[in-house]
Amino acid sequence: MTQAIRFHQIGGPEVLRLEDVVTGEPGSGEVRVRHHAIGLNFADTYYRTGLYPVPLPNGMGVEAAGVVEAIGDDVTGVEPGDRVTYTYTGSPLGAYSTDFVLPARHLIALPDEISFETAAACTMRGLTAAYLMRRIHQYREGDTILLHAAAGGVGLIVAQWAKLLGLTVIGTVSTEHKAEVARAHGVDHIVYYRDEDTAARVREITGGAGVPVVLDSIGKTTYETSLDCLARRGLLVCFGTSSGPIPPIDPMQLAIKGSLFVTRPGLADYIADPAERAELAGELFGHIAEGRIRVRVGQTYPLADAARAHAELESGLLTGSSILTV
């Protein structure tokens, strides 16, 4: 019998329940994966609260790592016993479980050098960092970027990757503890966004020029500030909305502030092509295996404690990546 976290109504963390469910056998094009570690992502809370509507009752989670137990018809390139990881967006939800049946097309081969815990902590975050660093902009060595939530799971990977590219990183954090973590992972300049004027500090650090790129996973509360941090013809990358959706964009304001660019990318569009996904994953896992990028697993929770994990995730006090274990 499979154990899975499910929710029957939208609401706070308390709506998450650990239940016994029947997984069944994989159908055509599907596999069953026995999970060892499960990724905990802020986007998971959007399904729970109804921001991303799904039919109810439903499972929870879109990222995990484990071993293939069974394969259905028309599945190629993967066999029972293979170590795999996966991440995807949308349906089917259900990664918060001991095992799960899902389409085989989502699987990514997991190198022996990468533990299940590391994979669960970095597959979604690491692939996000990969497209931010390798696809979203043509960075030049010596560029300075602004990274919001610098001590978060994505932030810590981005900061290290940025250093590999020869970039200077300005990172925003809320506490001294988070500042210490961010510095240890390559952030050069810290801005305490609750106590400082972020735009003024960025201008001070850059000699008044601003930065060519802002990487913003916060959304609503940082959007205007992010625009004010950009250099002329700079790019704002809004890749997350932990504080809520960004407001409607006024094109004239972009012109007034320096002919700025704004993009709202989604991971799904950067891993939809299997070859591109494999290339990004290969580069990510290569950096991790060789020690060039360290993945910080800041918090680990048993599967049964998913509600507590969600509550602490939403508190804004966590650092690094969080995972569930089974």
Side-chain angles (χ1 to χ4, degrees):
M1 183 69 70
T2 295
Q3 287 197 306
I5 296 294
R6 294 175 59 78
F7 63 115
H8 295 251
Q9 64 190 62
I10 60 174
E14 69 279 357
V15 304
L16 300 178
R17 306 179 188 175
L18 182 66
E19 300 178 351
D20 291 331
V21 300
V22 177
T23 301
E25 295 301 315
S28 179
E30 295 180 330
V31 297
R32 187 174 72 242
V33 177
R34 179 70 179 182
H35 292 156
H36 287 253
I38 300 156
L40 179 67
N41 296 288
F42 201 90
D44 298 342
T45 69
Y46 300 159
Y47 295 103
R48 194 202 72 226
T49 61
L51 181 61
Y52 292 169
V54 293
L56 297 177
N58 214 310
M60 176 61 63
V62 296
E63 176 184 29
V67 175
V68 175
E69 281 193 327
I71 64 174
D73 295 335
D74 302 318
V75 173
T76 60
V78 62
E79 298 289 343
D82 286 354
R83 302 175 77 251
V84 295
T85 185
Y86 66 82
T87 185
Y88 56 89
T89 57
S91 184
L93 300 179
Y96 287 19
S97 58
T98 53
D99 55 276
F100 188 47
V101 171
L102 73 158
R105 67 178 181 274
H106 295 307
L107 297 185
I108 300 170
L110 184 61
D112 291 339
E113 299 84 357
I114 309 297
S115 71
F116 294 120
E117 293 77 14
T118 296
C122 80
T123 300
M124 178 176 283
R125 296 172 180 85
L127 289 174
T128 298
Y131 86 71
L132 290 174
M133 291 289 95
R134 304 300 284 169
R135 295 292 189 273
I136 206 76
H137 179 75
Q138 188 64 48
Y139 298 99
R140 297 179 298 178
E141 186 173 356
D143 279 348
T144 298
I145 64 171
L146 174 63
L147 174 63
H148 286 295
V154 175
L156 296 181
I157 299 174
V158 167
Q160 294 173 85
W161 209 316
K163 302 311 295 181
L164 297 176
L165 299 179
L167 308 182
T168 297
V169 181
I170 304 171
T172 67
V173 300
S174 57
T175 67
E176 182 56 39
H177 172 62
K178 289 188 174 184
E180 292 175 2
V181 173
R183 289 190 190 99
H185 288 76
V187 174
D188 300 283
H189 303 278
I190 295 294
V191 177
Y192 298 92
Y193 67 87
R194 290 177 178 170
D195 304 316
E196 299 180 278
D197 182 326
T198 299
R201 280 286 291 130
V202 168
R203 295 287 173 181
E204 178 184 352
I205 293 167
T206 60
V211 294
V213 178
V214 174
L215 302 177
D216 189 342
S217 62
I218 307 296
K220 181 179 179 180
T221 61
T222 51
Y223 173 73
E224 292 293 342
T225 295
S226 293
L227 291 179
D228 290 338
C229 292
L230 285 168
R232 182 177 287 115
R233 293 164 58 182
L235 171 66
L236 169 55
V237 184
C238 299
F239 69 98
T241 53
S242 62
S243 71
I246 64 172
I249 295 172
D250 180 353
M252 184 54 67
Q253 284 300 308
L254 301 182
I256 291 171
K257 290 178 179 289
S259 299
L260 305 180
F261 297 85
V262 176
T263 184
R264 178 50 173 101
L267 175 61
D269 293 312
Y270 289 86
I271 61 173
D273 177 76
E276 183 169 30
R277 182 181 61 196
E279 182 179 352
L280 291 174
E283 189 167 0
L284 168 67
F285 291 145
H287 285 319
I288 295 170
E290 295 296 326
R292 292 184 292 269
I293 288 178
R294 294 173 290 123
V295 176
R296 177 184 171 89
V297 181
Q299 298 75 216
T300 300
Y301 306 89
L303 177 63
D305 284 351
R308 177 169 66 90
H310 270 227
E312 294 184 2
L313 181 66
E314 291 176 304
S315 73
L317 300 177
L318 305 186
T319 59
S321 300
S322 300
I323 63 172
L324 302 168
T325 56
V326 294

